[in-house]
Amino acid sequence: MIYADNAATTRMSDAAIHTMTTVAQENYGNPSSLYGLGQRAKEILEKAREDIAAVIGASPREIIFTSGGSEADNQALLSAAEAGRRKGKKHLISTAFEHHAILHTLQKLEKEGFEVTLLDVHEDGIVRPEEVEAAIREDTCLVTVMYANNEIGTIQPIRRIGEICRRHGVLFHTDAVQAIGHIPVNVADDNIDMLSSSAHKFHGPKGVGFLYVKKGAPLFNLIEGGAQERGRRAGTENVPGIAAMATALTEINAKREKNAADLIPKRDRLIEGLKEIPHSALNGDAVCRLPGNVNFCFEGIEGESLLLLLDDKGIMASSGSACTSGALDPSHVLLAIGRVHDVAHGSLRLSIGEGITDEEIEEIIRSVKEVVAYLRGFSPIWRDLQSGKRKYIL
Ligand SMILES: *Cc1c(COP(=O)(O)O)cnc(C)c1O
């Protein structure tokens, strides 16, 4: 079995599992309780906050624990919008290839009377900072641009976008769910006001994440209730999950450079191998991308069938994003970089992670070549392309 779907989720690390189970067994107190057991849980929570803050260059008071990346994205956008509304600023800027946690929240805000500008991401899957600057208006209350794309892995010029936002006095949020733990991220150096992250994308548990909010930036709570997280996120804290998230982040951060140095040549070999398939194309810039991300389009096939046949061969991958696969709509990310519907349907995302071997990379290349050839063998579209009835796009 080869797991090549780390952008969808990662396996929890042994250390994170150890932390999670030990905390659950030994420190089951409620952090809001005054007796020792509760206070020890509180200490674990605050230690996790310190450890996480240290990794991204924040101060602990700027970290709010959430149920994951989606909640952090929702809270960041709705907070910035509410602060904007109070000042009569109802314009937001984002990009066409954000995660649905961002895009759907923006759609909700549009229904409430906000105006949203979605920037183009160009064929290389990269946002141009000067286009962000040109879109900023007097009434812009937020710019939100993802750090790295979850489908095509392209890394955005976040530091330059942050610098532009700061110069114009506009709040800047980034969905860094795919970046944290995989590439260097520092909220101070990158001029970030708000940042979303999720533990299960860096070998921590599912259902837990955090939102960084720079001191002084607006933050409103989505969930009403108790005074946890200094009144900005009610509900008894997921202490074992939060502690395990801190363990996972500290662990991955310590070996981040080593992991990247190990993965990049494997990623590039995978790209080189798959490029040998005729009428195929890499999606997104080849260099400015996450160490583990490979995303291809193959003309004349269906991504879904490709996935099922790869699964038969023990290879776990993805087509489009996990949230859209199952639906027949092609990926909004691939459409955003200009792939036409037919081509976007034949996409494959391989997101490799720590521990994958060179032999496994070769096995993936062999299997994808076999499966693409097999599927093309009975694809009516492929037959039309071959006979010249239809023109090749790739
Ligand atoms: C996975 C992901 C999310 C959602 O995070 P959850 O913790 O699963 O809610 C948001 N944004 C990006 C870019 C992601 O990859």
Side-chain angles (χ1 to χ4, degrees), residues 7-8 67-71 73 99 101 146 148-150 175-178 197-201 207-208:
S67 66
S70 300
E71 185 188 329
D73 282 343
H99 189 274
M146 69 199 317
N149 184 269
N150 48 304
D175 174 339
V177 173
Q178 292 288 334
S197 179
S198 175
H200 76 100
K201 303 289 175 75
V208 56

Side-chain angles (χ1 to χ4, degrees), residues 128 148 235:
R128 304 295 187 263

